[in-house]
Amino acid sequence: MFYLLYLYFADFAQEYPLLNLLQYQTVRVGLALFTGLFVAIAMGSRFIEWMRSKQGRGQPIRKDGPASHLQTKQGTPTMGGLMILAGVFAGTLLWADLTNIYVWVVLFVTGAYGLLGFLDDYDKVTKQHHAGLTGKQKLAAQFAVAIVAAGILVAFAPVSPTSPNLQTSLAFPFFKAVLLNLGWFYVAFAAFTIVGFSNAVNLTDGLDGLAIVPVMMAASAFGVISYLVGNFVFSEYLQVHHAPGTGELAIFCAAIIGGGTGFLWYNAPPAKIFMGDTGSLALGGALGSVAVSTKHELVLGIVGGLFVIEALSVMIQVAYFKATGKRIFLMAPIHHHFEKLGWPESTVVIRFWIVAAMLALVGLATLKLR
């Protein structure tokens, strides 16, 4: 919004040179981060107390989970993702270029998945059961939103001057000139990427601070990727495919970091509030849509490798149990396996953060290793 106001009052800005800073994406990245942080922290204690009064017994805890959770997490309110989303939307709408199609697509996915997660959390809290909406209901809604978003990007996103078929093509890390043109089948692939990563983040959200910090790490990596891919000079230097307009997504990623940091202030162990599906589905969808927009879908599997591992642990556990009646892990997702082995919750969380940080750096390295 402020960027559009700057453009509208450009002549007035000449008299006040400080306003010219708004034309720079890097400046608006910083402003979006601090806006998201301020909004999330400002909601803070009052929002948590209000949620606690409305939810009563809070988020239902899995009875088959680690025994310690029944003691330490019982009664903690959920839907804290609303704090994150408030910061994300405030930071993005105030400082991003609102004429940019990528900004509206990622906000659409984030908001729609946030609403879906809210309905799921509401169902869990009111029925006091951890199941919530059925898997089929959630997947159908997620795929519907993702297909619409991917279709819009394919049909209306700016055409790359260096790769005319980029919007329907799959780019490969480490190979500068390889593009696989999938045609309209790309819509299905993009939708699968968004939905898959949304659910992967959702599965990871099981311990205090476990999901939000890797989300911020992935957002940091994709903020850099968005800025570089959206800049013709930098993309030419790095020999990555130039996607015009995606630089504005760096502002969106910064808002995620700010909102996530504000939420972490209250989610740090022992958590005063959980993000719930409201936050995890939305943030996973947000990162998936950013990866699709920047044509770094495969790099998302590296940057967000921790989430991929968590999702794979569940799929392997279910498939193996159906085939043999036995379990590979003591409990899935895999962070519960390590809890069952006797690792303290804080140890699991911090070690998983380290893994997430290393994978994010490896993902960023793909920009140069070509």
Side-chain angles (χ1 to χ4, degrees):
M1 184 183 75
F2 283 114
Y3 178 72
L4 293 182
L5 288 175
Y6 162 76
L7 294 179
Y8 187 77
F9 295 105
D11 293 337
F12 177 77
Q14 299 303 318
E15 300 179 15
Y16 299 91
L18 189 62
L19 295 177
N20 287 318
L21 291 175
L22 293 177
Q23 68 182 300
Y24 299 109
Q25 288 176 341
T26 49
V27 172
R28 289 184 284 122
V29 160
L31 292 171
L33 190 154
F34 283 108
T35 299
L37 174 64
F38 174 79
V39 169
I41 289 183
M43 291 179 68
S45 299
R46 291 185 180 181
F47 176 78
I48 293 171
E49 288 303 318
W50 184 73
M51 278 296 179
R52 183 176 285 113
S53 67
K54 294 294 182 181
Q55 295 179 17
R57 288 182 290 174
Q59 176 173 299
I61 306 299
R62 288 177 59 178
K63 301 241 180 348
D64 60 341
S68 60
H69 288 201
L70 294 173
Q71 301 172 354
T72 60
K73 301 184 186 300
Q74 192 71 47
T76 305
T78 187
M79 300 185 188
L82 292 173
M83 298 168 60
I84 306 171
L85 295 182
V88 171
F89 274 78
T92 305
L93 292 175
L94 286 178
W95 303 110
D97 178 3
L98 299 184
T99 65
N100 185 291
I101 189 172
Y102 293 110
V103 170
W104 287 111
V105 167
V106 297
L107 286 178
F108 166 66
V109 173
T110 304
Y113 280 20
L115 176 60
L116 177 63
F118 175 84
L119 294 175
D120 191 39
D121 287 335
Y122 182 82
D123 196 56
K124 291 176 183 176
V125 171
T126 54
K127 295 180 180 179
Q128 277 300 299
H129 192 275
H130 64 79
L133 302 177
T134 67
K136 291 182 179 179
Q137 289 173 328
K138 288 193 285 188
L139 281 176
Q142 286 177 297
F143 269 108
V145 171
I147 288 172
V148 170
I152 291 173
L153 289 177
V154 169
F156 301 108
V159 176
S160 172
T162 56
S163 306
N165 295 320
L166 184 62
Q167 292 307 327
T168 57
S169 298
L170 177 63
F172 292 84
F174 308 112
F175 300 97
K176 60 185 178 182
V178 178
L179 272 179
L180 177 61
N181 190 354
L182 301 177
W184 278 96
F185 180 74
Y186 176 80
V187 172
F189 173 79
F192 178 81
T193 300
I194 295 171
V195 173
F197 204 75
S198 175
N199 286 291
V201 174
N202 180 242
L203 290 170
T204 306
D205 182 32
L207 302 177
D208 298 349
L210 177 59
I212 189 59
V213 172
V215 163
M216 291 191 292
M217 292 177 181
S220 299
F222 269 95
V224 174
I225 291 171
S226 299
Y227 180 74
L228 296 176
V229 169
N231 186 292
F232 182 79
V233 175
F234 290 137
S235 61
E236 280 290 295
Y237 171 72
L238 293 170
Q239 299 184 41
V240 295
H241 299 285
H242 174 50
T246 55
E248 287 295 313
L249 294 180
I251 295 158
F252 174 76
C253 291
I256 291 178
I257 299 167
T261 303
F263 170 75
L264 182 62
W265 184 266
Y266 301 99
N267 185 242
K272 294 182 179 179
I273 191 169
F274 301 138
M275 75 163 69
D277 287 9
T278 307
S280 59
L281 290 180
L283 292 173
L287 292 172
S289 57
V290 170
V292 168
S293 299
T294 57
K295 312 308 298 178
H296 277 67
E297 304 92 343
L298 298 182
V299 174
L300 177 65
I302 302 174
V303 171
L306 176 67
F307 303 113
V308 175
I309 293 169
E310 291 272 14
L312 285 175
S313 71
V314 174
M315 290 188 285
I316 292 171
Q317 182 88 320
V318 171
Y320 190 77
F321 183 79
K322 286 183 176 180
T324 66
K326 299 179 181 179
R327 292 178 171 85
I328 293 179
F329 306 106
L330 296 177
M331 186 177 178
I334 197 169
H335 56 262
H336 289 318
H337 171 78
F338 290 106
E339 280 193 290
K340 291 280 191 178
L341 286 176
W343 290 19
E345 179 176 343
S346 58
T347 301
V348 176
V349 170
I350 293 174
R351 287 178 178 174
F352 275 43
W353 286 355
I354 294 171
V355 172
M358 295 176 66
L359 289 171
L361 291 174
V362 173
L364 279 177
T366 64
L367 289 172
K368 190 59 181 173
L369 299 178
R370 293 178 181 265

